């Protein structure tokens, strides 16, 4: 696989890293876990931390010399000299000044799900100082697992020197943006650590798309005859009535047979077809942050991906789409059409506060069930009577089942799209898989269509199978 | 930010630096030892620890059964050698120094080639301290040549420095990442500093310190040298705790 053949190449320099305090809180520096005193300062682009580990050498020197005086043993005094030399060494080394550029190349920027993508990263020292200890961690998107090689590297970089590392990630459904690479430079003695981030000039994006072309919301959600038909007559295809011709009626709608027979102009009217509004309802409660195996995306990530593809399909067919997110804080957007609305929904789906990549914290006294029940009730009060609901949920508990059945009973056409994140690794996971299948069966018995989506298969084929079921 | 985000896949200390650190620590034990009654058990302990290390490396390379066997045998040999030293019943001070060195090397090995990565740093620190105490005790009790004791202590510090680097690299980039160049450069500079330390210690030992006759009752040359060392230590401590301010030189070359 040639990384430069089809892939995108990005290159860039250090980026400003302002809030060292917060970052230090998040990025627990294992090196400095043992330090009791540290001096962290910002130097425009870098954060500096001076470790105090060499104080141990000073303590050893003091103890040895003190004991030597106490015991009147000159040899102990002499043996404190190596300790002092090592302590001086920690101050004799220069503080590293990381001036770095990075290039990142991926072998395929639009891979299919499950395809291995080789990522090649080149880090270049553009400064005039030799960096004797450069540790690099590339900003691999959180939902992509590294399968071959390591996304981390440590090397020595002379002025103008560069190092290249490569690793392989397995593409998963979704659009994955690489984050800036984190770099820590240490001096030779390891007494000073300078942290920074290095970002390519252009963003590296791995887009693993699965566009939906042959299935519409109309086919997917509004499938039951009689439930979503409008009462307004118009220019559809279903016959409505016949009335006397009025000037302005289209000639194609004139009943010419009747005119030939009775010499009377009449206009045939058909029931008007209107695209029915649909709400994409994402189940993003804490219990939905489950993955089939370690390193695989969780169900909420798959829900987000499916919602994004469905949104694009709805935008193409100009169908009104709304959004509702069940989670720690409910998000509601009423169904509308228009590019601006679609863009807003798309931004909301990408917002990490609305759909975080990590499981949200459940407040004390609240459970996923109470949250789901309350937000389900709120959703029912907000949506219109014939608004369709496409509920995206892994069906890992009873809440989405009850919500779908209630909505269906209240006259809202409901279809459930359920990414399967269950596995059979153990007895517990096997039981979870059986219970999910039982929930799907319960929904289908209640006439709620369910698209059971195995994320290893394309989304569209799963939807087509669900529609034709 | 002065640490890399997230955790690497295999966060055990990097093999090259860990091996150098262990070799330096065992070297400190041997160089510091003054008599065959100390060297022989330490040699057996060293062989046992080498087998232990080989077993751990094999286990990491998926040779689980052979690795476990070698690890167990090596550990057993090391412990047996130390127990044997007790059975030989040497003088209590010699035994103390010997056990301090041997147990120190054993504990440090458990830290450098861990089965669990939880208590790596305390193990290495404890092991280094024990070997330092053992070497210093031998220097006082058996009075080997100064260069040997100086070299032993310098090797202890070299071992500790290299072990810290191994642990840091393991925690930050992982044992599977490419780290050899950093490890070799770090170890090389450590060896250079240790050499300077040995030369300086021997040079100071050979300095002619005039002893006034009669010796004044208010002090002695030993106390004077001790005070000088304390002054140096205090100076370095002051340097350590003085906050560093950015200078224009430091910012040179930064894009913004």
């Amino acid at each position: 696989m040639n990384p430069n053949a089809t892939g995108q190449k990005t290159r860039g320099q250090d980026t400003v890293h302002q809030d060292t305090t917060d970052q230090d809180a998040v990025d627990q520096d294992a090196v400095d876990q043992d330090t009791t005193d540290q001096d962290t300062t910002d130097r425009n682009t870098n954060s500096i931390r001076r470790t105090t580990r060499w104080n141990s050498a000073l303590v050893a020197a003091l103890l040895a010399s003190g004991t030597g005086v106490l015991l009147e043993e000159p040899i102990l005094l002499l043996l404190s000299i190596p300790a002092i030399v090592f302590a001086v060494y920690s101050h004799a080394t220069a503080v590293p000044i990381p001036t770095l550029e990075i290039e990142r190349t991926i072998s395929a920027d639009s891979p299919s799900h499950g395809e291995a993508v080789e990522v090649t990263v080149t880090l270049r020292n553009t400064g005039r100082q030799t960096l004797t200890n450069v540790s690099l961690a590339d900003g691999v998107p959180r939902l992509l697992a590294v399968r071959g090689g390591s996304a981390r590297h440590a090397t020595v970089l002379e002025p103008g020197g560069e190092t290249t590392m490569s690793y392989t990630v397995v593409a998963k459904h979704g659009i994955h943006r690489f984050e800036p690479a984190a770099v820590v430079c240490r001096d030779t003695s390891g007494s000073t650590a300078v942290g920074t981030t290095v970002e390519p000039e252009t963003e590296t994006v791995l887009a693993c798309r699965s566009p939906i072309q042959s299935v519409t919301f109309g086919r997917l959600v509004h499938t039951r005859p009689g439930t979503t038909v409008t009462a307004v007559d118009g220019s559809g295809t279903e016959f409505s009535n016949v009335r006397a011709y009025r000037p302005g009626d289209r000639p194609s709608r004139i009943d010419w047979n009747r005119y030939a027979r009775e010499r009377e102009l009449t206009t045939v009217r058909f029931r008007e077809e209107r695209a029915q509004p649909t709400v994409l309802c994402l189940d993003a409660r804490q219990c939905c942050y489950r993955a089939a195996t370690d390193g695989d995306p969780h169900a909420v990530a798959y829900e987000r991906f499916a919602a994004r593809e469905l949104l694009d399909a709805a935008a193409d067919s100009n169908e009104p789409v709304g959004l509702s997110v069940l989670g720690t804080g409910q998000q509601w957007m009423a169904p509308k059409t228009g590019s601006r609305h679609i863009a807003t929904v798309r931004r909301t789906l990408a917002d990490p506060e609305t759909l975080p990549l990590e499981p949200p914290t459940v407040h004390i006294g609240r459970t996923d069930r109470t949250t789901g029940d309350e937000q389900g009730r709120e959703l029912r009060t907000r949506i219109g009577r014939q608004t369709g609901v496409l509920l995206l949920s892994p069906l890992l508990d009873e809440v989405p089942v009850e919500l779908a059945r209630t909505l269906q009973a209240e006259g809202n056409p409901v279809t459930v799209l359920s990414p399967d994140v269950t596995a059979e690794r153990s007895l517990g996971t096997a039981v979870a898989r059986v219970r999910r299948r039982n929930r799907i069966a319960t929904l289908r018995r209640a006439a709620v269509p369910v698209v059971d989506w195995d994320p290893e298969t394309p989304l569209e084929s799963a939807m087509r199978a669900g529609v034709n079921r | 930010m002065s640490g890399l985000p997230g955790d690497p896949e295999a966060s055990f200390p990097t093999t090259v630096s860990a091996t150098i650190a262990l070799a330096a620590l065992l070297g400190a034990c041997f160089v510091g030892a003054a008599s065959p009654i100390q060297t022989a058990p330490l040699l057996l302990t060293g062989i046992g620890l080498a087998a232990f290390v080989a077993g751990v490396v094999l286990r990491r390379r998926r040779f689980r059964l052979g690795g476990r066997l070698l690890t167990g045998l090596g550990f057993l040999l090391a412990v047996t050698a130390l127990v044997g030293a007790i059975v030989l019943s040497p003088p209590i001070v010699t035994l103390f120094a010997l056990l301090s060195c041997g147990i120190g090397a054993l504990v440090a090995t458990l830290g450098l080639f861990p089965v669990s990565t939880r208590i790596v740093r305390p193990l290495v620190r404890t092991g280094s301290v024990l070997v330092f105490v053992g070497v210093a005790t031998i220097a006082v009790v058996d009075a080997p040549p100064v260069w040997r004791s100086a070299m032993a202590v310098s090797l202890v510090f070299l071992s500790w420095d290299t072990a810290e680097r191994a642990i840091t690299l393991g925690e930050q980039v992982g044992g599977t990442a490419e780290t050899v160049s950093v490890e070799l450069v770090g170890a090389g500079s450590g060896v250079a500093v240790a050499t300077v330390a040995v030369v300086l210690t021997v040079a100071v030992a050979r300095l002619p310190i005039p002893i006034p006759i009669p010796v004044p009752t208010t002090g002695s040359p030993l106390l004077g040298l001790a005070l000088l060392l304390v002054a140096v230590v205090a100076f370095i401590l002051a340097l350590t705790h003085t906050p560093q301010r950015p200078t224009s030189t430091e910012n040179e070359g930064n894009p913004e």
Side-chain angles (χ1 to χ4, degrees):
Chain A
M1 200 170 352
N2 179 9
N4 297 319
T6 58
Q8 51 177 297
K9 192 173 180 181
T10 51
R11 170 183 168 172
Q13 290 190 326
D14 308 19
T15 54
V16 175
H17 186 89
Q18 293 292 346
D19 192 353
T20 56
T21 310
D22 288 347
Q23 279 296 323
D24 282 342
V26 175
D27 305 336
Q28 290 295 324
D29 184 7
V31 181
D32 305 321
Q33 278 176 355
D34 59 328
T35 58
T36 52
D37 182 22
Q38 59 203 20
D39 176 19
T40 306
T41 53
D42 264 357
R43 271 193 333 176
N44 293 340
T45 58
N46 311 319
S47 64
I48 303 174
R49 173 175 287 189
R50 186 159 187 86
T51 65
T52 54
R53 69 171 177 146
W54 284 103
N55 281 358
S56 305
L58 291 177
V59 171
L62 280 173
L63 283 174
S65 56
T67 313
V69 170
L70 203 66
L71 302 177
E72 293 190 349
E73 286 290 347
I75 187 67
L76 288 180
L77 278 179
L78 290 172
L79 292 186
S80 63
I81 291 174
I84 292 173
V85 170
F86 271 90
V88 170
Y89 160 58
S90 70
H91 284 275
T93 49
V95 175
I97 305 165
T99 311
L100 301 162
E101 270 185 9
I102 192 170
E103 284 179 26
R104 190 187 290 121
T105 309
I106 54 177
S107 59
D109 49 7
S110 302
S112 54
H113 178 81
E115 185 180 333
V117 178
E118 189 178 3
V119 184
T120 307
V121 177
T122 302
L123 187 70
R124 189 174 298 112
N125 179 8
T126 54
R128 285 178 288 175
Q129 186 189 38
T130 298
L131 303 172
T132 54
N133 186 342
V134 184
S135 299
L136 166 78
D138 198 19
V140 183
R142 289 187 192 182
L143 297 177
L144 295 183
V146 177
R147 287 283 184 249
S150 173
R152 290 163 183 261
H153 190 60
T155 190
V156 179
L157 282 179
E158 293 175 352
E162 63 179 36
T163 182
T164 301
M165 67 171 187
S166 61
Y167 57 93
T168 306
V169 294
V170 179
K172 298 288 178 187
H173 291 297
I175 296 170
H176 308 279
R177 289 181 168 77
F178 281 75
E179 294 168 10
V183 175
V184 173
C185 296
R186 288 184 171 75
D187 61 354
T188 316
S189 68
S191 60
T192 308
V194 181
T196 188
T197 53
V198 194
E199 199 168 8
E201 279 174 5
T202 53
E203 197 177 33
T204 313
V205 181
L206 196 151
C208 182
R209 300 285 308 271
S210 179
I212 298 164
Q213 290 163 340
S214 62
V215 183
T216 62
F217 276 137
R219 287 186 67 196
L220 192 64
V221 181
H222 305 279
T223 53
R224 287 196 304 165
T227 55
T228 58
V229 171
T230 174
V232 180
D233 296 337
S235 57
T237 53
E238 187 184 349
F239 175 77
S240 175
N241 57 34
V242 178
R243 63 162 169 76
Y245 172 78
R246 291 176 195 164
D249 286 349
R250 284 190 291 168
S252 62
R253 296 297 187 193
I254 295 172
D255 186 353
W256 292 109
N257 290 333
R258 186 168 180 177
Y259 178 75
R261 198 167 53 245
E262 301 176 8
R263 290 288 161 184
E264 184 185 354
L265 276 172
T266 53
T267 301
V268 179
R269 305 204 64 201
F270 295 89
R271 201 177 294 281
E272 188 177 12
E273 287 177 351
R274 280 185 190 166
Q276 295 300 313
T278 307
V279 172
L280 293 169
C281 180
L282 277 72
D283 187 0
R285 292 168 300 129
Q286 195 186 37
C287 68
C288 300
Y289 284 81
R290 298 281 186 276
T293 58
D294 288 341
D296 274 349
H298 46 67
V300 177
Y302 285 130
E303 286 177 30
R304 191 170 72 168
F305 162 75
R308 173 74 190 259
E309 298 296 351
L310 288 162
L311 190 67
D312 286 354
D316 291 342
S317 56
N318 203 31
E319 293 173 278
V321 182
L323 180 70
S324 172
V325 179
L326 307 181
T328 49
Q330 191 182 28
Q331 180 77 29
W332 166 256
M333 298 175 79
K336 288 178 191 170
T337 55
S339 57
R340 183 177 292 180
H341 175 71
I342 295 293
T344 308
V345 177
R346 198 174 283 145
R347 271 199 306 277
T348 308
L349 285 172
D351 182 9
E353 288 188 7
T354 306
L355 284 169
L357 289 176
E358 303 297 331
T361 309
V362 176
H363 299 293
I364 297 169
R366 296 181 65 81
T367 62
D368 266 354
R369 180 164 191 92
T370 55
T371 304
D373 288 344
E374 284 174 16
Q375 294 181 348
R377 274 196 297 275
E378 205 175 326
L379 172 68
R380 279 158 44 207
T381 60
R382 279 176 164 168
I383 61 171
R385 184 155 179 77
Q386 290 189 337
T387 301
V389 176
L390 182 58
L391 178 60
L392 295 101
S393 171
L395 297 176
L396 297 178
D397 65 350
E398 298 298 329
V399 171
V401 178
E402 289 169 17
L403 177 62
R405 291 168 69 181
T406 311
L407 285 166
Q408 184 92 326
E410 290 176 353
N412 297 101
V414 180
T415 295
V416 176
L417 195 161
S418 177
D420 184 6
V421 290
T422 58
E424 288 191 357
R425 295 192 310 271
S426 63
L427 183 62
T429 55
V431 169
R433 170 168 278 193
V434 170
R435 294 181 73 179
R436 177 178 173 276
R437 284 179 185 159
N438 290 342
R439 289 185 192 108
I440 290 174
T442 305
L443 283 169
R444 284 178 177 156
R445 277 198 300 275
V448 175
V450 179
V451 176
D452 184 6
W453 175 38
D454 175 6
E456 296 303 313
T457 61
L459 176 62
E460 187 169 23
S461 58
M463 288 171 62
R464 209 179 296 124
V467 167
N468 297 333
R469 190 180 169 86
Chain B
M1 182 196 70
S2 54
L4 298 178
D7 295 318
E9 196 177 334
S11 58
F12 46 78
T14 50
T15 309
V16 173
S17 286
T19 307
I20 294 172
L22 183 58
L25 204 62
L26 289 173
C29 294
F30 290 126
V31 173
S35 61
I37 203 166
Q38 291 166 341
T39 313
L42 285 175
L43 188 64
L44 272 180
T45 306
I47 292 169
L49 294 180
F52 178 88
V53 169
V56 171
V57 172
L58 280 178
R59 283 172 70 171
R60 285 179 190 164
R61 294 185 179 175
R62 311 285 179 200
F63 299 103
R64 294 188 188 279
L65 186 64
R68 280 182 185 169
L69 201 66
L70 209 53
T71 306
L73 281 176
F75 187 78
L76 202 64
L77 181 61
V79 172
T80 309
L82 294 175
V83 173
I86 299 171
V87 174
L88 288 174
S89 64
I92 188 73
V93 183
T94 306
L95 181 64
F96 169 77
L98 172 62
L99 287 181
S100 186
C101 285
I103 293 172
L106 187 64
V107 170
T109 306
L110 292 177
L112 288 167
F113 295 90
V115 180
S116 163
T117 55
R118 279 188 169 184
I119 49 168
V120 165
R121 215 176 282 274
L123 283 176
V124 168
R125 190 171 293 170
T126 307
S128 301
V129 167
L130 285 174
V131 174
F132 179 78
V133 170
V135 166
T137 308
I138 293 171
V140 171
V141 175
D142 294 327
V146 172
W147 71 267
R148 289 188 66 167
S149 298
M151 184 180 278
V153 170
S154 299
L155 282 172
V156 172
F157 282 105
L158 172 66
S159 165
W160 177 69
D161 178 35
T162 316
E164 285 283 339
R165 189 175 298 106
I167 296 168
T168 301
L169 285 171
E171 285 172 340
Q172 299 230 317
V173 296
T176 56
E178 177 62 46
T179 55
V180 176
S181 58
V182 169
E183 294 181 80
L184 292 181
V185 167
S189 59
V191 168
V193 175
T195 308
V196 170
V198 173
V199 170
L200 196 64
T201 308
V202 173
V204 171
R206 291 185 178 179
L207 274 180
I209 300 176
I211 300 176
I213 300 173
V215 177
T217 53
T218 52
S220 68
L222 193 65
L223 187 60
L225 188 54
L227 286 174
L228 184 65
L229 285 170
V230 169
V232 171
V233 170
F235 179 67
I236 295 168
L237 274 173
L239 272 180
T240 308
H241 291 90
T242 304
Q244 292 193 340
R245 296 288 172 206
T247 64
S248 56
T249 312
E250 284 174 343
N251 280 323
E252 190 180 7
N254 278 339
E256 282 180 311

